[in-house]
Amino acid sequence: MLRIENLTVSVSGKEVLTDINLEIKKGERLAVLGPNGSGKTSLLMAVMGFSGYKITRGNIIFKGKQINGLSIDERARLGMGIILQRPPTIRGIRLRQIVDIIKHNDFDTDKEAEGFNLKGFLDRDVNLGFSGGEIKRSELFQLLASSPELSFFDEPESGVDLENIILVGKVMNQILNKNKDNAALIITHTGYIFKYVKADKGCVLLDGKILCFGDPERILEEVTKYGYEGCVTCRGKKMKRKSRVKK
Amino acid sequence: MQGKKNEKEVPGKEVDIKSYKSGAEEKPYMEDLRKISPDQRKNMLSSGVDPSQRGRSGTYIQMDHSVVHSKSLYPGLEVMSITEARKKHKWVDNYFWKILSVDADEFTKQAELQPHQGYFLRAEPGVKAIYPLQACLFINENNIIQNVHNIIIVEEGADVQIITGCATASDVKRGLHIGVSEFFVKKGAKLTFTMIHDWAEDVSVRPRTAALVEEGGTFLSNYICLKPVKNLQMYPKAELVGRGAMARYNSILFAHPGAHLDVGSRVILKSEDSRAEIISRVISGGGDIIARGHLKGEARRIKAHLECRGLMMREEGLIHAIPELEGSIKDIDLSHEAAVGKIAKDEIEYLMARGLSQSEAQVAIVRGFLDTTIMGLPSELQKVVDDAISACEQEAF
């Protein structure tokens, strides 16, 4: 569904992602792990087409089509959707208005909002005075309404209390299970969300580069034990091993 | 030492009163408002005045210098021309220039020396009208001056909504409107006053307005000016003179290219526990806007807030926000916030990530910016305002 080839991205002239290669197949969930500042959010923003994330090299291919030059809304209409960590407040635009524009016909806004504890927020200016948990619920609610084929989750568990993590996990599954082909790119630095949402494969992003692919829970175990620094050492060992073999 | 620039006492661009015709053709009185021409009807409707009078408690219509209709449809509400009111009630004279000064500027002087009618609207004590009263000041002849003096009295415990629409005939290009208005909101009364300006591109406008709000009274003033106008300057003032009185000014303005709008609101909180709010949303689509606001706290436990937000849509034009807070005793709470800028890119992109095109996102943000739900407008008036906002959006992008 999504193929990223040799993607290099810079922000304000500084390279933040280098030579990224990854693929997400239909129905697949890829988790990208990495510490703060490793380039995870930049990866999502660049793939979604946000300004300020300049692609200097490489390709983004979605459903067989190269989308490097498409605008954000064109990508959204092709079937991509995103939840942001820090969405802007827009005065005068109610959450309900956005949902009414993006929702599928069978989406019952009021009924669904109840399940999200968002009933009282529908007629409030979007994100104005929302707490961290409320923002997360509002973002997921919008994503559920539009039900994209490929969802980008940027730190879905950050700023959310335990009770809400369960809800976040439930909704993510609801979005992803709506259609067997629905796929996801989940970004996390703690990995807590794996308790509730299963990822099929994982990778580590460090300093804008992908270090390794593997089983996400396994990667998380290693990271918990050795920290992300361990990834560097591990990678280093692998490289040494490789070079020895070559010799 | 550098000399100070010679600043004008009255802000706003200069207007040459003498360049306008002082006389206008007499228009006949119309008992039946169906006789109003389709063109005039259309222009009145776009300023919120409905000649069919559906959902209205009474109507006053003045064309140029002639009163063409004035009638109350609700017991306890008086609707008439100011001349008639002065004849009917001797005491009306006591309300003349009570809270405005006749010699404040050349425009107040002009309104006194060469009056062309104006309306008198009054709600008797305790009268609570369900439907709003409407008043229309219409300029039908090109190049004339229209000087009106309006008096609005809401007696004790009464509650009334008033819609005032100021408009011009389609073929009017140039004109000058001077509107003196004095509002009296008595003890425990409530007045919701909504004024929509729908002028022509080369019309100059000088409203001169003041309100006096007594104990427990509420004065809500909504002002909407989204259509082209050449040159508008006003700085209405409310004085809260009774305990617990409240005033709120909401304004939404759009300055088309070449327009100069100098608009503010001022509230003087003279009584304990009185409250005020001044909220303005202004957009420059190429024209200049000076958005003023002034809160003056003179009594204990008063609370007031001023908020001005401006959006610049083009490279040309100007928004100059001038908020002023003035407190002269302790135990008061005055605050303000002001912001001028363009539409934030992150807001546009957020909506685009939801699938809205860039222009749809911009329109939605501008519409949200000019949020009028706070005004509490009757539904059909809300529709008029929404249509005016839609027309503006076309202009803005």
Side-chain angles (χ1 to χ4, degrees), chain A residues 51 77 82 94 102 139 142, chain B residues 349-350 354-356 371 373:
Chain A
S51 64
R77 283 198 292 269
I82 188 166
R94 324 270 183 250
I102 63 179
E139 289 290 293
Q142 294 176 53
Chain B
E349 294 192 341
Y350 181 63
R354 300 289 179 249
L356 276 75
D371 187 13
T373 48

Side-chain angles (χ1 to χ4, degrees), chain A residues 121-164:
Chain A
F121 293 83
L122 281 177
D123 296 306
R124 274 174 57 174
D125 291 355
V126 70
N127 303 325
L128 181 63
F130 287 22
S131 70
E134 286 154 2
I135 283 182
K136 205 64 79 183
R137 296 207 303 270
S138 152
E139 289 290 293
L140 285 164
F141 182 62
Q142 294 176 53
L143 205 63
L144 181 67
S146 62
S147 91
E149 290 167 68
L150 176 60
S151 299
F152 298 129
F153 298 99
D154 191 4
E155 304 275 5
E157 73 274 63
S158 76
V160 179
D161 57 29
L162 203 61
E163 200 183 324
N164 275 309

Side-chain angles (χ1 to χ4, degrees), chain B residues 18-75:
Chain B
K18 289 192 191 76
S19 69
Y20 298 89
K21 279 194 296 181
S22 61
E25 192 188 314
E26 190 73 23
K27 314 289 180 305
Y29 189 85
M30 281 184 237
E31 193 59 45
D32 184 355
L33 285 177
R34 281 176 298 188
K35 286 180 187 159
I36 285 180
S37 76
D39 181 58
Q40 289 168 337
R41 179 185 307 275
K42 189 173 139 257
N43 290 320
M44 284 180 190
L45 277 170
S46 65
S47 72
V49 173
D50 186 350
S52 80
Q53 302 200 73
R54 260 193 302 271
R56 298 288 190 264
S57 289
T59 300
Y60 175 90
I61 295 177
Q62 176 169 339
M63 276 190 197
D64 300 333
H65 305 159
S66 311
V67 181
V68 299
H69 189 87
S70 80
K71 198 175 212 170
S72 166
L73 301 170
Y74 195 87

